[in-house]
Amino acid sequence: LFDIVMPEDQEEISKVLDQLPNEPKLSIETQRTFEDSDTIHQELSFVPIYNTEEEFDGFYCFMKDITSRKDLEERIFYQAYH
C-alpha cells in the first residue's frame, strides 16, 4: 500500500488504517508518482473486512484517479481569485 503514495502521505494513511476497524469506510486523497516522474492525484477508499467472529481481519483498498477533478478545482479557484 505504501508503494502507491508519496512519502509525505504515509503517516496520514497510517492514521486512517488505525481508525478503520471502527468505521464502515474511510477515504483519503493522496498523490502518486510513477517511475517516469508522472504524478497523479488519487482517492484511496478503505473498507474493513471482518471474519465470522466479527473481528477485524483486513481491508479492501480501492484507488480512483482524481487528477482531472483536482486540475479543474485548481482552475476554478484561480479564476475565482484572479
Side-chain angles (χ1 to χ4, degrees):
L1 174 63
F2 290 103
D3 301 9
I4 64 170
V5 295
M6 305 282 272
E8 57 268 18
D9 293 328
Q10 292 180 359
E11 183 177 336
E12 186 68 27
I13 290 197
S14 291
K15 290 177 186 176
V16 168
L17 293 177
D18 288 342
Q19 297 173 21
L20 192 58
N22 304 313
E23 301 290 336
K25 175 185 171 188
L26 292 171
S27 296
I28 185 172
E29 291 183 5
T30 67
Q31 292 184 343
R32 177 181 184 180
T33 301
F34 295 93
E35 291 178 10
D36 64 358
S37 298
D38 192 25
T39 300
I40 65 166
H41 293 272
Q42 61 187 2
E43 178 183 44
L44 300 175
S45 297
F46 302 94
V47 179
I49 301 169
Y50 300 95
N51 62 22
T52 54
E53 287 82 35
E54 297 185 17
E55 298 168 328
F56 180 72
D57 195 31
F59 60 88
Y60 291 108
C61 178
F62 302 94
M63 189 278 286
K64 179 178 182 181
D65 184 343
I66 58 169
T67 304
S68 297
R69 186 186 86 200
K70 296 299 276 187
D71 290 345
L72 184 58
E73 287 174 359
E74 288 176 18
R75 203 170 331 144
I76 291 169
F77 181 83
Y78 179 83
Q79 291 175 349
Y81 295 101
H82 290 90

